[in-house]
Structures are given as structure tokens and as C-alpha cells.
Amino acid sequence: MSAADTASTGTFKGLKLTNTLTRQKEDFVPADDNNVRMYVCGPTVYDFAHIGNARPVIVFDVLARLLRHLYGADHVTYVRNITDVDDKINARALRDYPDLPLNDAIAKVTEKTANQFHADVKALGCLEPDVEPRATQHIDGMISMIQTLIKKGHAYEAATEQGGEVLFDTASMPAYGGLSKRKLEDQMAGARVAVDSHKKNPGDFVLWKLSSPDEPGWDSPWGRGRPGWHIECSVMSAKHLGETFDIHGGGLDLIFPHHENEIAQSCCAHGTDKMATYWLHNGFVQVEGKKMSKSEGNFVTIHDLLETEVFGGRKWPGEVLRLAMLMTHYREPIDFSVRKLEEAERMLAKWPEVTATDTAPAPEVLEALGDDLNTVAAIQAIHQLAGDAVKDETKAAAYSASAALLGLAPVAVDTSDIDTASIDTRVAERLALLEAKDWTEADAIRDQLASEGILLKDSKDSETGKRVTTWEVKR
């Protein structure tokens, strides 16, 4: 169903997104309804992804699901890259595999961490992007773009103590700083680049740097070296989405320098006035009220949360982590805490299992998501639908479709080893006890079933008004 079709049914008023570039909430109008394109900065695979890394993956997974619903799955291309060339990767490879040749050690680090990232985000209910390019697959494209920037007067070579660099000349782009709203004279260099005398301007940033014999490198017109931080995303997005595209997303921390520098490279290389039309950024993640850091002792990976008991003394299901993340609007800072996870788990416990359905999501859920991806309001609407789903088949279908749109569709629990006859018998006994007002014994049966992982749900028959009890396996 296209956005136009959805709007015509009266179930959707249009998608509005807050654009970091303009600092305004704007109507989303793709350049081509049949080719909606989104690029999101993915992980640098030197270590397991932490919970802060999970937030943009979850947020933009929801946006991709919404776009596919509005425009059709075949008309949306979602690209999320993997950075597999980086000095942090090199350092990790030397530390973990000192006896291997560097290229082999780097391959082991990136393979292990990329595989773990994929497993983690799958457990969080995230779908795979349509394209997942790796930086090392696009070195030739980076070299070509750098050559273009030099030819057009936007980049220059400079000698350094380490051998040499190619730098972007920020003064060559009058519009530089338009995303971050920083003045050129106030700019500082990117996080991976020191301010040195070989630069024309303090804000000039590395496009290519020469490699020493014990560092990975590729042959280039400027010598054997490796790309800087920002050039990869300019090249990969152009390769898979075109010189300009609709949406570019990532965390708030990427606005400057990374996204600012992507815009500079792309616009100057292609001769365009924009790289992407809409820039979306999710807010920061704190853990238990503090900035996440190893020194604070609150640094926690997705894998830690899913598979260990380091956070709150227990493991946490992926759908609980996902719901907890979506219970705060994506643009707001979030305090990720045990208390928030417990709140999300209590809410999910009241939701029936999601089943496949061709029904459209509920209008109120679409309306909420259409308002700058307001997952908070969408979850409130789904929670209401979940309560009605037990007694209303129409609302049950809308509930399932709505929950699935947010990726909150847990895998069905295997009940093959469960003695359903015994459970049914005890549920009937409890109903009889409730009829006799023997609350103590009725509660004892309920508690016993709960200890076995069986959740009871009471409702009323719409015709007779009598109590009806259903059960399901707790997630």
C-alpha cells in the first residue's frame, strides 16, 4: 500500500520527521515514491556493540518498517554500513592476535564482532537492511572520490611526521557547518585527527593517510595508506543510493564531525547542494542515570544483556530490550535502567502473542508513528489494543499488525512439552473456586501456574458476562 493509498483511506495523515538540517518537523516527501532511500551509519566492528549502539539500529528499523508499509517493501532501500577499517580495529587485532600477520588478525576481529553484531540485533527484533556494505569493499571508490576532490580544489596533500595525508579543505566550502550550525572558525578537527601545523585550517579533516609497514594499507596515488573516517559513508551511500537520497540517520554524536564531513565530501565531489534531504538523529543513552563508560562500571553490551546476568542480576529477552528502548521518543535522551526493563517486561506480559495477519495496523498507531516516529504514543495505543484483543477478533488483528510494525512480534513459544490437559483442568478448578468465592485457593492455583511459566488472563464473555480465563506461556 503506497502512502497515497493509505492517506486516501483516512487511516494516515502523512509522515512528518524532524530534520536536523532545518531544526524543524517537516512533511516527508521522497524524491521518488517508487524509490525511497535511507542510509544509516552502522557499527565499527572492533568490539561488541553496546546498548548505546542498539538505539539507532532499533529506531531506524522501525522507520524502515514504516516506510515499507507506506510505500511498499519493493520501493524502499535501507542501507546500513559496516566500518571494518579503523585504527581501533588495528589496535584490537594487535592486542588479541599478536602472533598472526596483521591482515589475518584484523580479519578475525572484524568477522567475530560483525557476526556478534548481527546475532545481537536479530535478537532485538531488527530486520536486516536491504544492503550492508563494508568499507573495505569500497576502497577504490574512496580513492576515486578523493581524486575528484583534489581536482576540484577541495582537498590537498600535506606532509606529516608519519609520512603524509590528504586533507579536505573546509575553507573551500562556504556552506560547511550547515548541519551542526557551527561557524568555520570554531571548528575543531574530527575525533580521529589531531590539530597539526600541516593543515591549512584547524577544521580540515583526513581523507587518506599513509600507513606504516605494520599498518594495513592499500595502494593509492599518494602512497600506500588507508582512508580517513568520513569518506567511506560518502562513497557507500552514493554507490547504493545515488548522489542524493532521502534520509540519512544516526546517533546525535555523529552530527559533528562525521555527518558534517560526509555532507562536505559528497556535495563538493558531486557538485550538489545536498547529500540527503532529511537528517534524523536519535538522542543519547545513559545507563542508570550516568553516562555509560567503563570507568563508571556501567558499560554494558547487547550481548551482556541478552546472555549474562551482569545487568540486574538476570538475562533480558530481546523484545523487552526493544520495547524499553522504544518507550522513550527517539529524539529524547534515555535512561536505560533495570527499572525501565522491568516496566517493559510487565507491559509485554499483558500482551497476547502476535500472530500473522493481513490486516492494516490500527489508525491511531499509524498516526502516532507518522508524527515524527512517536513510538511512545504508538505503544500506548498498542497496549490498549492488547487489552481488547482477547475479546474482539477485529481488534486482535489490528493489534497484531500494529505490534509487528514496531517489531514487537515475539517468536511463538514451543508448547510441545507442556501438559495442556493438566493446565486446562487447573484453570477450570480455579474458575470453580472463584465462583465459590474461595479466593485463597484460586490464587494458589494461579500462583502455582505462574511458577511454571503459565500466565492466566481473565476476561468476560460479552454475551453471558461470565468470567473466561485463557492462558499462555510467559515469555
Side-chain angles (χ1 to χ4, degrees):
M1 181 182 289
S2 70
D5 292 337
T6 308
S8 68
T9 66
T11 60
F12 190 67
K13 297 177 182 178
L15 175 59
K16 293 180 181 291
L17 299 171
T18 296
N19 190 348
T20 306
L21 191 63
T22 63
R23 304 297 198 268
Q24 294 181 346
K25 188 186 294 186
E26 302 174 357
D27 291 325
F28 175 66
V29 182
D32 181 357
D33 280 6
N34 292 314
N35 185 21
V36 181
R37 292 159 291 165
M38 179 170 71
Y39 185 93
V40 176
C41 289
T44 300
V45 287
Y46 71 95
D47 200 356
F48 287 7
H50 56 69
I51 191 59
N53 302 138
R55 193 175 194 190
V57 180
I58 293 172
V59 165
F60 292 103
D61 177 69
V62 172
L63 181 54
R65 289 169 183 266
L66 179 61
L67 292 172
R68 288 166 181 155
H69 172 75
L70 297 176
Y71 295 93
D74 294 339
H75 301 301
V76 175
T77 304
Y78 170 26
V79 178
R80 186 186 67 217
N81 75 297
I82 283 183
T83 297
D84 59 351
V85 54
D86 182 273
D87 287 350
K88 291 181 181 178
I89 295 175
N90 306 340
R92 183 59 58 92
L94 290 169
R95 188 199 75 179
D96 292 353
Y97 304 101
D99 298 329
L100 291 180
L102 182 59
N103 285 348
D104 293 342
I106 288 172
K108 279 189 170 293
V109 169
T110 57
E111 179 182 14
K112 177 181 179 180
T113 51
N115 288 344
Q116 187 62 56
F117 171 76
H118 289 142
D120 289 344
V121 298
K122 182 178 181 180
L124 295 176
C126 297
L127 302 176
E128 295 180 2
D130 297 295
V131 186
E132 190 178 56
R134 293 186 177 224
T136 52
Q137 299 168 344
H138 293 78
I139 299 296
D140 289 345
M142 297 181 209
I143 292 172
S144 178
M145 180 174 280
I146 295 169
Q147 289 176 307
T148 298
L149 290 169
I150 293 174
K151 184 178 179 179
K152 290 187 173 185
H154 295 293
Y156 59 94
E157 294 182 65
T160 70
E161 293 182 0
Q162 290 75 35
E165 295 176 341
V166 180
L167 296 160
F168 183 90
D169 184 355
T170 50
S172 72
M173 184 186 184
Y176 185 78
L179 181 69
S180 61
K181 310 305 180 190
R182 299 187 182 198
K183 295 180 180 179
L184 183 58
E185 57 267 24
D186 297 332
Q187 301 287 9
M188 295 299 291
R192 305 183 193 181
V193 185
V195 179
D196 293 313
S197 59
H198 64 279
K199 296 182 178 182
K200 292 182 180 180
N201 314 287
D204 293 353
F205 57 88
V206 169
L207 300 172
W208 189 265
K209 48 190 172 183
L210 297 186
S211 297
S212 65
D214 61 348
E215 292 176 321
W218 291 261
D219 292 334
S220 78
W222 319 286
R224 180 179 174 276
R226 59 203 191 279
W229 178 16
H230 318 293
I231 191 71
E232 62 183 78
C233 288
S234 287
V235 170
M236 289 187 284
S237 62
K239 170 70 174 179
H240 298 287
L241 297 176
E243 293 181 355
T244 62
F245 49 94
D246 298 306
I247 298 172
H248 195 314
L252 194 65
D253 57 316
L254 296 182
I255 294 176
F256 183 85
H258 188 48
H259 288 169
E260 192 74 76
N261 292 347
E262 283 186 43
I263 292 172
Q265 296 161 162
S266 297
C267 291
C268 290
H270 302 313
T272 58
D273 62 354
K274 64 182 179 182
M275 178 185 182
T277 306
Y278 304 89
W279 290 80
L280 274 65
H281 295 92
N282 62 268
F284 291 117
V285 176
Q286 291 186 323
V287 177
E288 297 291 359
K290 296 181 180 179
K291 181 179 179 180
M292 184 171 59
S293 69
K294 292 182 179 178
S295 62
E296 289 284 353
N298 65 349
F299 186 90
V300 59
T301 68
I302 305 171
H303 178 263
D304 288 337
L305 291 161
L306 292 168
E307 301 296 339
T308 77
E309 298 179 355
V310 301
F311 197 72
R314 53 163 294 189
K315 299 178 182 179
W316 297 96
E319 63 266 25
V320 171
L321 302 177
R322 183 183 182 95
L323 179 59
M325 196 67 78
L326 294 176
M327 287 165 66
T328 300
H329 191 276
Y330 80 92
R331 295 181 60 243
E332 298 297 324
I334 184 173
D335 183 17
F336 197 81
S337 63
V338 172
R339 182 177 179 180
K340 181 171 285 291
L341 291 178
E342 290 173 342
E343 181 184 355
E345 188 168 51
R346 286 194 298 270
M347 180 177 286
L348 276 175
K350 298 177 181 178
W351 292 11
E353 186 176 297
V354 172
T355 55
T357 177
D358 293 330
T359 304
E364 56 268 36
V365 173
L366 277 176
E367 182 179 352
L369 294 179
D371 183 16
D372 197 23
L373 215 62
N374 189 344
T375 55
V376 180
I379 289 168
Q380 290 172 347
I382 292 171
H383 190 60
Q384 179 63 47
L385 285 167
D388 297 336
V390 177
K391 49 192 175 183
D392 188 318
E393 289 187 5
T394 301
K395 290 187 177 180
Y399 154 75
S400 288
S402 299
L405 187 58
L406 265 71
L408 294 167
V411 176
V413 179
D414 182 7
T415 59
S416 58
D417 294 331
I418 295 176
D419 188 346
T420 59
S422 172
I423 295 172
D424 289 339
T425 297
R426 284 183 284 172
V427 167
E429 289 175 356
R430 174 177 174 271
L431 282 172
L433 290 167
L434 290 172
E435 284 286 328
K437 295 183 170 51
D438 190 343
W439 317 119
T440 302
E441 290 300 319
D443 287 348
I445 293 177
R446 180 200 61 198
D447 294 343
Q448 177 60 39
L449 287 168
S451 71
E452 298 172 13
I454 305 301
L455 178 69
L456 301 186
K457 295 188 176 182
D458 291 328
S459 61
K460 287 186 178 181
D461 187 293
S462 58
E463 294 183 1
T464 66
K466 289 186 176 181
R467 184 190 299 266
V468 176
T469 301
T470 58
W471 63 269
E472 64 181 41
V473 182
K474 287 197 295 185
R475 305 184 188 109

